[in-house]
């Protein structure tokens, strides 16, 4: 019988206990769980968690985590030993904006398979008789949400894991992580060393401290969150008993950053309405001794003055509280991250050291299952790119950035947020060499991973008067008009009819070099890499199951030198992990030291050719080829690529030459009508061409045939990661497809994640969407069953209304690819 790895889990809270259960259920029986606090209430966040489990989120992944948590907790106990009380959830709206957002949230629920409906004030009061219906405009009711009994669940999970061979040790303080030769070997404690082949930190808000033991930066911030319990509420007397605790739906009053649950005949109230209160770990007890009620390290003294406004708002919504008073309260410590997501992943430097941090009870079982799958099977069945700790660039993991953004996420945790809404601060962290010129042109910037990215330019506003009638965009509703401008139509028009300059600098660029570079890229990608110098290849990186890990553009600049256009830091992390140990391959992030201008449009050659002695003709530089050149004396690499479907090049140079390159191109293009164009126009144009965006349109949950990118797969080239998993698959075997839709009314713009209905049933969801300026219609891409063929009518739910759309053949513009190959 094979011997399973020795696994040490640090942290015996809801995440660690779930992970021990998931691993032992898969046959890994050499599992040890350590916690500095006494078992079972160790003093971490689990020990004081109020247990609210709301499943619906904008993220499919987070919703699936929560749905599995509900399923698992329901299976752990019932009756007097319940671990999940499925009382349902009710989120109420007191403003029109919130009510609209609840309709949007109900759309997410339909997209991800969670039952729920938006109800009126009277039904809200019937579901939760304590609330005043005159205070609300409606609510979102989700019958399968409820209350987790986290402490009881931990005990049940621990017993089950122990029955399969796991060991739990409380009152054991971890003092270090042993490692040798780049691999973890054990965990040092105040009781001795525990050997380990794998260590997983589920230490919660202590996660930074544990990460530091192997030099791994864990970007989380512990923050205090207020929770109180009232005295007896008359209307609750006799409704519940000590075994059940609650019968009314858990309640969220997000307009005031509050939530509510029953504790028998009392009410528990949680508040995010107060100032952010960072917690310094050094100020907490080093161990978990003394974790009696009110003295555990994760429960800090209550600051009554911070809660006073929330108490008044609570008594407005729930008139029964006007005769009650706050009897007890505490400030509970929780973990927040720069983008609000959990942190899952392996150390880049110490193999075998993993983390699963910043995970709330709501997602605990789902996260634990995915981590167990990563360890045992090598992949999670649920897509994890929004949870991977390595999703952040270096600037985003600095203490200053983590503190500021995590505090802001605390403040905004219940806010109605637009999908394009950027951070207010910090800004201008990363700017391209063209930034000064873009500001002069009135660029409207949005932000991604610290980069300032122009979405349109106010300097183009006067051209709105010159737009031909067929290019005039329709008026938008208030939501889709946010962070958008009709100027995008001008920029798309000039790209299709003249020439435009796009700043492509923020896209991740990775240099792969060395004598092993070709073999390395051949193994990691689906395309043929051993081509002539100057070849550019669009290719995929797959996981072992054939899921799309990323899509990449690989340019061979020299025999042993490649430039890879990637999707983000996850690709860089993956490349570094896969690099051979013989140092035959070097991996370098060159993004910050380089820049890129996309020059695209039918007049692109008229702009560029007079500035260079090199030949930019089609015959000399064909599509998907690159060459070194000089443009007005600036050394560049020109790649014949176009993600907007027009003639042109991605033109790269060193950052030091960036502003000069922009200036000479801009000056030469003035007589041709050149415009600077932003991401809004870019997104419209790329959807008209059917170009996919990894992370939005396709992920590891999809194979190339489903996603419509099988053309990038060359199985005949030989072995590569994921090749075997594609055996037997083809366009005729898929049961779902990424499908192009056009909106029938010609004006309604959706934004993404909306549910799509086929024959009256929720059958899929929108991934990317934009108004197609060239075709004069809104476009949406959606995952739908394969039987939704061209001409099929579908309905998209947009807030509280339905929009009719039609499955349409793609690409919508220039299917013969004549424009791009002039």
């Amino acid at each position: 019988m094979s011997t399973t790895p020795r696994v040490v889990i640090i942290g015996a809270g809801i995440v660690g206990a779930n992970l021990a259960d998931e691993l032992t259920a898969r046959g890994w029986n050499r599992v040890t769980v350590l916690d500095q606090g006494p078992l079972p209430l160790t003093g971490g966040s689990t020990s004081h968690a109020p247990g609210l489990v709301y499943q619906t989120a904008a993220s499919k992944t987070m919703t699936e985590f929560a749905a599995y948590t509900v399923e698992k907790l329901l299976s752990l106990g019932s009756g007097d030993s319940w671990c999940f009380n499925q009382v349902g959830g009710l989120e109420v709206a007191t403003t029109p904006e919130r009510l609209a957002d609840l309709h949007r949230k109900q759309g997410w629920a339909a997209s991800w398979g969670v039952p729920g409906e938006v109800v009126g004030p009277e039904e809200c009061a019937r579901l939760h008789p304590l609330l005043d219906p005159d205070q609300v405009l409606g609510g979102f009711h989700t019958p399968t949400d409820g209350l987790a009994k986290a402490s009881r669940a931990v005990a049940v999970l621990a017993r089950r894991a122990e029955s399969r061979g796991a060991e739990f040790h409380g009152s054991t303080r971890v003092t270090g992580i042993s490692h040798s030769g780049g691999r973890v070997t054990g965990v040092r404690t105040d009781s001795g060393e525990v050997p380990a082949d794998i260590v997983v930190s589920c230490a919660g808000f202590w996660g930074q401290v544990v990460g530091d033991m192997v030099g791994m930066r864990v970007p989380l911030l512990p923050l205090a969150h207020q929770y109180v319990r009232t005295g007896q509420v008359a209307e609750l007397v006799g409704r519940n008993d000590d075994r059940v605790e609650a019968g009314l739906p858990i309640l969220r009053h997000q307009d005031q950053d509050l939530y509510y649950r029953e504790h028998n005949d009392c009410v528990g109230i949680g508040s995010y309405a107060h100032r952010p209160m960072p917690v310094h770990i050094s100020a907490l007890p080093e161990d978990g001794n003394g974790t009696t009620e009110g003295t555990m390290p994760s429960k800090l003294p209550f600051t009554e003055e911070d809660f006073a406004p929330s108490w008044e708002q609570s008594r407005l919504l729930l008139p029964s509280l006007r005769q009650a008073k706050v009897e007890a309260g505490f400030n509970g410590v929780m973990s927040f991250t720069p983008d609000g997501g959990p942190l899952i992943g392996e150390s880049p430097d110490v193999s075998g050291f993993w983390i699963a941090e910043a995970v709330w009870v709501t997602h605990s079982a789902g996260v634990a299952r995915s981590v167990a799958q990563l360890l045992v099977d090598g992949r999670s069945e649920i897509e994890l790119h929004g949870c991977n700790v390595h999703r952040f660039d270096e600037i985003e993991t600095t203490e200053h950035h983590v503190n500021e953004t995590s505090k802001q996420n605390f403040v905004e945790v219940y806010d109605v947020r637009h999908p394009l809404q950027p951070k207010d601060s910090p800004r201008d962290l990363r700017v391209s060499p063209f930034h000064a010129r873009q500001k002069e042109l009135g660029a409207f910037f949005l932000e991604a991973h610290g980069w300032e990215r122009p979405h349109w330019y106010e300097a183009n506003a006067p051209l709105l008067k010159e737009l031909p009638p067929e290019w005039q965009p329709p008026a938008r509703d208030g939501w889709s008009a946010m962070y958008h401008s009709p100027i995008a139509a001008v920029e798309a028009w000039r790209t299709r009819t003249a020439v435009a300059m796009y700043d492509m600098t923020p896209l991740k660029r990775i240099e792969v070099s060395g004598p092993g570079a070709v073999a390395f890229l051949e193994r990691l990608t689906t395309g043929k890499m051993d081509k002539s110098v100057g070849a550019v290849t669009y290719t995929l990186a797959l996981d072992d199951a054939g899921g799309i890990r990323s899509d990449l553009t690989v340019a061979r600049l020299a025999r042993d030198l490649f430039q890879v256009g990637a999707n983000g830091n996850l690709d860089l992390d993956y490349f570094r992990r896969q690099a051979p140990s013989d140092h035959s391959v070097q991996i370098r992030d060159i993004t910050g030291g380089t820049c890129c201008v996309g020059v695209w449009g039918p007049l692109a050659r008229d702009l560029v050719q007079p500035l260079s002695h090199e030949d930019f003709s089609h015959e000399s530089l064909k599509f998907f080829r690159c060459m070194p050149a000089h443009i007005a004396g600036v050394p560049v690499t020109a790649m014949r690529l176009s993600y907007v479907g027009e003639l042109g090049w991605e033109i790269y140079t060193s950052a030091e030459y960036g502003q000069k390159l922009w200036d000479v191109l801009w000056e030469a293009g003035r007589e041709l009508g050149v415009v600077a164009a932003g991401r809004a126009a870019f997104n419209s144009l790329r959807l008209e061409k059917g170009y996919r965006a990894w992370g939005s349109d396709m992920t590891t949950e999809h194979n190339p045939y489903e996603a419509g990118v099988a053309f990038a797969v060359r199985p005949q080239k030989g072995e590569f990661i994921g090749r075997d998993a594609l055996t037997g698959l083809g366009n005729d075997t898929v049961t779902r497809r990424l499908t192009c839709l056009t909106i029938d009314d010609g004006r309604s713009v959706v934004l993404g994640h909306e549910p799509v209905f086929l024959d009256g049933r929720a059958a899929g969801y929108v991934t990317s969407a934009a108004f197609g300026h060239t075709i004069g219609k809104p476009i949406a891409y959606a995952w739908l069953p394969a039987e939704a063929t061209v001409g099929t009518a579908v309905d998209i739910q947009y807030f509280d209304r339905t929009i009719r759309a039609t499955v349409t053949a793609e690409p919508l513009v220039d299917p013969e690819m004549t424009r791009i190959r002039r």
Side-chain angles (χ1 to χ4, degrees):
M1 189 173 86
S2 62
T3 302
T4 63
R6 299 167 299 178
V7 180
V8 174
I9 299 169
I10 301 173
I14 192 70
V15 181
N18 260 301
L19 180 55
D21 178 66
E22 295 285 341
L23 288 173
T24 55
R26 288 164 172 78
W28 282 25
N29 56 3
R30 298 202 294 172
V31 176
T32 303
V33 183
L34 307 175
D35 202 294
Q36 63 184 352
L39 303 176
L41 286 179
T42 61
S45 298
T46 300
S47 304
H48 65 68
L52 280 67
V53 178
Y54 278 93
Q55 297 166 86
T56 306
S59 162
K60 178 174 179 285
T61 294
M62 298 302 284
T63 301
E64 290 176 331
F65 283 161
Y68 180 70
T69 300
V70 167
E71 175 188 333
K72 185 170 183 180
L73 290 175
L74 279 170
S75 73
L76 295 181
S78 60
D80 291 351
S81 60
W82 63 272
C83 291
F84 189 74
N85 185 356
Q86 201 160 38
V87 293
L90 180 64
E91 302 176 58
V92 295
T94 60
T95 64
E97 294 77 15
R98 179 68 61 181
L99 184 60
D101 193 59
L102 294 184
H103 281 287
R104 182 172 66 128
K105 186 169 286 187
Q106 190 274 326
W108 298 340
S111 292
W112 317 140
V114 175
E117 63 175 334
V118 176
V119 299
E122 295 77 14
E123 180 64 7
C124 289
R126 188 192 71 78
L127 290 165
H128 202 296
L130 267 60
L131 70 80
D132 179 359
D134 292 335
Q135 295 292 320
V136 302
L137 302 178
F140 175 46
H141 178 230
T142 44
T144 58
D145 291 341
L147 290 168
K149 190 77 168 178
S151 57
R152 184 178 292 158
V154 166
V156 173
L157 291 164
R159 286 197 300 271
R160 191 158 73 178
E162 286 173 329
S163 73
R164 304 183 189 122
E167 297 181 7
F168 282 69
H169 298 283
S171 302
T172 304
R173 186 162 63 90
V174 171
T175 58
I177 310 294
S178 299
H179 51 93
S180 176
R183 283 206 60 86
V184 72
T185 59
V187 176
R188 300 192 299 276
T189 78
D190 55 3
S191 301
E193 180 151 344
V194 183
D197 304 301
I198 296 171
V199 175
V200 186
S201 176
C202 303
F205 59 82
W206 282 287
Q208 280 185 320
V209 175
V210 178
D212 287 343
M213 294 177 181
V214 294
M216 181 178 180
R217 192 177 291 171
V218 179
L220 67 79
L221 178 69
L223 287 162
H225 160 59
Q226 291 202 303
Y227 192 79
V228 306
R229 188 179 296 199
T230 70
Q232 190 178 74
V233 176
E235 285 82 349
L236 294 180
V237 173
R239 287 187 62 101
N240 307 305
D241 58 35
D242 289 343
R243 294 170 302 163
V244 176
E245 290 188 19
L248 299 178
I250 50 177
L251 179 66
R252 288 207 286 194
H253 182 18
Q254 292 170 295
D255 287 321
Q256 295 297 329
D257 297 316
L258 295 166
Y259 64 80
Y260 307 88
R261 60 154 292 179
E262 293 168 277
H263 292 282
N264 302 323
D265 56 5
C266 304
V267 173
I269 307 172
S271 172
Y272 294 99
H274 54 83
R275 61 191 168 89
M277 294 185 274
V279 175
H280 298 286
I281 297 300
S282 60
L284 299 177
E286 288 190 359
D287 55 37
N289 293 331
T291 55
T292 57
E293 183 74 15
T295 63
M296 62 180 63
S298 62
K299 294 178 70 172
L300 304 180
F302 184 58
T303 50
E304 186 175 355
E305 65 278 6
D306 288 304
F307 188 72
S310 295
W311 179 237
E312 294 306 313
Q313 292 296 332
S314 296
R315 298 202 295 173
L316 283 174
L317 182 69
L318 307 175
S320 304
L321 298 183
R322 294 170 190 170
Q323 307 306 315
K325 62 180 181 178
V326 174
E327 293 228 330
F330 62 90
N331 292 354
V333 185
M334 304 170 65
S335 300
F336 280 77
T337 63
D339 60 4
L343 306 173
I344 299 170
E346 186 181 18
S347 163
D349 303 311
V350 180
S351 181
F353 179 83
W354 290 74
I355 67 168
E357 306 290 19
V359 181
W360 295 5
V361 171
T362 302
H363 310 108
S364 55
V367 167
R369 178 179 63 171
S370 284
V371 173
Q373 290 173 345
L374 287 169
L375 297 177
V376 177
D377 306 323
R379 76 183 297 270
S380 163
E381 65 186 72
I382 293 177
E383 199 282 319
L384 297 179
H385 84 272
C387 308
N388 191 313
V389 64
H390 303 295
R391 66 190 181 270
F392 301 110
D393 283 339
E394 183 179 8
I395 187 66
E396 299 173 277
T397 65
T398 63
E399 182 179 3
H400 182 274
H401 190 275
V402 170
N403 289 354
E404 181 174 354
T405 54
S406 297
K407 286 188 287 187
Q408 193 60 34
N409 279 325
F410 179 93
V411 171
E412 297 174 350
V413 68
Y414 280 168
D415 284 5
V416 176
R417 291 189 60 80
H418 192 277
L420 292 177
Q421 187 171 337
K423 299 183 185 77
D424 291 330
S425 178
R427 294 296 296 269
D428 291 333
L429 286 176
R430 308 171 81 181
V431 299
S432 82
F434 322 132
H435 187 68
R437 298 296 184 254
Q438 292 165 344
K439 290 179 71 174
E440 291 168 2
L441 293 170
F444 181 86
F445 293 98
L446 296 183
E447 178 271 345
H449 291 287
W451 281 104
E452 297 296 325
R453 300 169 63 154
H455 272 239
W456 68 84
Y457 293 84
E458 290 293 334
N460 296 324
L463 295 175
L464 283 166
K465 296 179 291 187
E466 300 180 21
L467 269 180
E470 64 271 21
W471 283 87
Q472 292 289 340
R476 293 190 174 213
D477 70 279
W479 185 252
S480 64
M482 292 177 68
Y483 304 103
H484 184 78
S485 169
I487 294 171
V490 167
E491 296 170 5
W493 169 56
R494 281 295 177 90
T495 306
R496 290 278 189 244
T497 61
V499 61
M501 292 166 52
Y502 290 80
D503 181 2
M504 307 301 289
T505 302
L507 301 183
K508 180 72 75 176
R509 290 175 292 285
I510 303 170
E511 182 184 272
V512 180
S513 62
V518 173
F520 172 76
L521 290 169
E522 289 279 9
R523 183 172 64 86
L524 264 58
T525 70
T526 62
K528 182 174 175 56
M529 296 291 111
D530 195 7
K531 298 178 178 179
S532 62
V533 172
V536 182
T537 305
Y538 175 80
T539 189
L540 307 174
L542 305 180
D543 64 17
D544 288 328
I548 302 171
R549 180 187 289 275
S550 188
D551 65 339
L552 308 163
T553 302
V554 182
R556 192 170 196 177
L557 304 182
R559 174 184 168 82
D560 295 331
L561 176 64
F562 293 82
Q563 180 175 307
V564 179
N567 283 295
N569 209 59
L570 291 180
D571 294 318
L572 178 64
D573 177 69
Y574 178 60
F575 276 28
R576 285 174 170 166
R577 291 178 189 278
Q578 292 292 326
S581 58
D582 62 5
H583 305 293
S584 62
V585 178
Q586 289 78 51
I587 311 294
R588 194 164 66 98
D589 182 356
I590 61 171
T591 311
T594 56
C595 58
C596 178
V597 184
V599 180
W600 292 309
L603 301 182
R605 189 172 284 118
D606 300 87
L607 192 162
V608 173
Q609 185 61 82
L611 299 174
S612 180
H613 295 299
E614 284 79 20
D615 187 355
F616 278 79
S617 68
H618 177 68
E619 293 73 22
S620 178
L621 185 60
K622 294 185 181 299
F623 195 56
F624 273 100
R625 296 289 299 178
C626 68
M627 70 176 183
H630 287 81
I631 293 177
V634 176
V636 302
T637 298
M639 296 189 190
R640 184 83 183 277
L641 305 173
S642 176
Y643 284 90
V644 299
E646 294 294 333
L647 169 68
W649 307 269
E650 292 179 359
I651 302 175
Y652 296 88
T653 190
S654 297
E656 61 193 306
Y657 304 127
Q659 185 166 295
K660 176 67 174 177
L661 176 64
W662 179 279
D663 287 347
V664 296
L665 291 169
W666 182 257
E667 187 58 35
R670 289 167 70 92
E671 63 183 30
L672 301 173
V674 71
V675 296
R679 297 293 298 183
F682 180 91
N683 196 48
S684 169
L685 298 170
R686 70 107 180 158
L687 285 177
E688 291 180 334
K689 289 298 297 177
Y691 295 145
R692 278 60 169 148
W694 186 86
S696 299
D697 299 321
M698 56 189 185
T699 68
T700 55
E701 293 186 355
H702 312 110
N703 70 52
Y705 299 98
E706 295 171 325
V709 289
F711 64 87
V713 179
R714 297 285 184 270
Q716 65 273 20
K717 77 166 186 172
E719 291 300 316
F720 57 84
I721 293 173
R723 180 177 183 265
D724 292 346
L726 300 184
T727 302
L729 299 182
N731 291 323
D732 56 346
T733 67
V734 302
T735 59
R736 60 178 177 176
R737 285 193 179 93
L738 185 62
T739 305
C740 179
L741 307 175
T742 53
I743 309 300
D744 290 1
D745 67 18
R747 65 179 184 277
S748 297
V749 178
V750 299
L751 298 180
H753 294 179
E754 295 89 356
V756 182
F757 292 80
L758 180 63
D759 297 328
R761 61 182 176 86
Y765 58 92
V766 173
T767 58
S768 296
F771 187 83
H773 296 288
T774 314
I775 65 169
K777 287 184 178 182
I779 307 164
Y781 271 77
W783 280 101
L784 289 176
E787 59 262 29
T789 54
V790 171
T792 302
V794 299
D795 292 301
I796 302 173
Q797 180 184 327
Y798 182 68
F799 290 89
D800 59 348
R801 66 187 178 97
T802 298
I803 296 170
R804 179 54 63 98
T806 302
V807 177
T808 308
E810 58 171 329
L812 297 168
V813 171
D814 190 27
E816 297 83 16
M817 300 287 282
T818 56
R819 301 174 66 89
I820 211 166
R821 291 191 167 98
R822 303 181 193 204

